[in-house]
Amino acid sequence: STLTLVKGALKIMAWTKAQTAVVVSVGILFAAGTTIITVKEIQEHRTYPWQLPNFNPKIDNINVVAPTVLGETPPQVRIVKSKRTHWVEGFPFSDLGGTTLVNGQLVADTNQMSIGLGVQLSDIIKTAYRSDNLRTVFLTQMPGERYDFIANLHQGAFQVLQEQIKEKFGFAGKWKLVETNVLALKFGGIQTREHRLASGSGDGLENLRGSIENAGNVPVINETGLTNRYDFSFNWPIRRTADDEIYLQTLNRALRDQLGLELVPTNMPIEMLVVEKVK
């Protein structure tokens, strides 16, 4: 009987130790989980050096600081929530040299790196896919929060930015043919002027097409058949009204009178970035 009691006591002691070990293990798991959450929260709310630049280009009137920020920041691609409630003027920047401010607008010779402060996700997507407002279609509603981002890898920065947008937010874009209203830039018949081929420094019709597109806020397609660079001058009409239709009529008259070109409204499929939810 004594031996039986001793064995029973030993079993109880062993079970108690096992329970204690289980409780301790669970406690360690809870502690580990808390640590992971805390580290994630710290990473989400910390401020990175590349987020600190904040200036008013209208006051400073200097070359954009972005190339310095992008050059001095270790190569990375990151999107984090912004503490700003509005877009910081002068951002986003896209640059790998040759970037300056002209009338408060960024002018970049190349687009291989980018940084933005207080921008919306829709703007980051357009940056990642090298698109613009006129050639981007969102098939789903974009979040209204603002973000800071940087993409300054020496190669493939925008490809990685696309992957992060897909992984973190579940959005992806594809270039597709979409039928839409456009303006076709064509020769104006009998009023056609002679265009002299440039020796290498002439202004191309592609630049003119892009400028017309920005001025009229509608896609413009070059259907002149001219692909070379030409020497020509064009005096832009002063924009005296906010009415796009009236301004385009004035612009069209100037194109016919000065260059023998005209803008013809039409509807046709053009390549556009279509953004949709993928998960």
Side-chain angles (χ1 to χ4, degrees):
S1 300
T2 301
L3 182 60
T4 301
L5 290 173
V6 170
K7 287 182 178 180
L10 290 174
K11 287 182 179 180
I12 292 172
M13 291 173 64
W15 172 239
T16 302
K17 288 182 179 180
Q19 284 183 313
T20 304
V22 170
V23 172
V24 172
S25 299
V26 172
I28 292 173
L29 285 175
F30 275 120
T34 304
T35 303
I36 292 172
I37 293 173
T38 304
V39 169
K40 185 176 180 180
E41 288 177 349
I42 291 174
Q43 289 177 340
E44 192 71 24
H45 292 88
R46 66 174 292 188
T47 300
Y48 298 92
W50 55 268
Q51 291 178 275
L52 300 179
N54 189 357
F55 62 93
N56 187 339
K58 290 183 178 179
I59 296 175
D60 294 344
N61 194 27
I62 58 174
N63 285 354
V64 179
V65 180
T68 303
V69 176
L70 291 169
E72 294 181 351
T73 303
Q76 61 186 287
V77 176
R78 188 182 297 273
I79 307 173
V80 297
K81 285 186 178 180
S82 179
K83 297 179 181 179
R84 298 171 171 84
T85 58
H86 61 282
W87 172 63
V88 177
E89 189 170 5
F91 288 80
F93 300 116
S94 297
D95 175 70
L96 191 59
T99 299
T100 55
L101 274 176
V102 179
N103 296 327
Q105 299 297 318
L106 186 76
V107 178
D109 294 336
T110 56
N111 296 294
Q112 299 182 39
M113 298 183 180
S114 190
I115 182 173
L117 301 180
V119 297
Q120 294 183 325
L121 181 60
S122 57
D123 297 317
I124 302 177
I125 291 175
K126 285 179 285 188
T127 298
Y129 288 90
R130 317 314 299 145
S131 185
D132 55 34
N133 291 330
L134 297 179
R135 284 176 170 76
T136 305
V137 177
F138 293 97
L139 297 184
T140 183
Q141 187 174 0
M142 291 288 105
E145 292 84 359
R146 294 191 174 269
Y147 300 90
D148 299 337
F149 79 96
I150 185 171
N152 68 333
L153 302 180
H154 295 297
Q155 289 184 339
F158 294 129
Q159 178 64 39
V160 176
L161 188 60
Q162 294 175 21
E163 294 170 358
Q164 286 204 10
I165 292 170
K166 182 178 180 179
E167 179 181 347
K168 190 169 184 176
F169 302 98
F171 294 104
K174 288 185 178 180
W175 289 96
K176 301 179 180 180
L177 288 177
V178 178
E179 192 164 322
T180 186
N181 294 326
V182 302
L183 292 175
L185 181 64
K186 300 183 177 183
F187 281 114
I190 59 174
Q191 301 180 48
T192 299
R193 302 291 187 269
E194 180 181 352
H195 298 80
R196 185 168 58 86
L197 274 173
S199 58
S201 60
D203 192 8
L205 284 179
E206 175 59 24
N207 292 339
L208 177 64
R209 183 208 62 79
S211 299
I212 296 173
E213 185 170 280
N214 293 331
N217 199 33
V218 61
V220 176
I221 306 300
N222 181 8
E223 292 194 343
T224 63
L226 301 176
T227 57
N228 294 312
R229 297 177 67 86
Y230 295 87
D231 281 328
F232 61 85
S233 61
F234 179 66
N235 296 321
W236 284 84
I238 299 175
R239 186 160 193 168
R240 300 171 184 264
T241 175
D243 191 313
D244 286 338
E245 185 175 352
I246 294 177
Y247 180 70
L248 282 174
Q249 292 174 0
T250 305
L251 177 59
N252 215 359
R253 284 195 297 269
L255 285 169
R256 283 196 297 265
D257 294 341
Q258 299 180 43
L259 301 177
L261 302 175
E262 65 177 349
L263 297 170
V264 180
T266 185
N267 187 280
M268 63 185 296
I270 63 172
E271 196 173 38
M272 300 186 73
L273 178 67
V274 180
V275 182
E276 55 188 340
K277 192 79 171 175
V278 292
K279 67 176 181 178

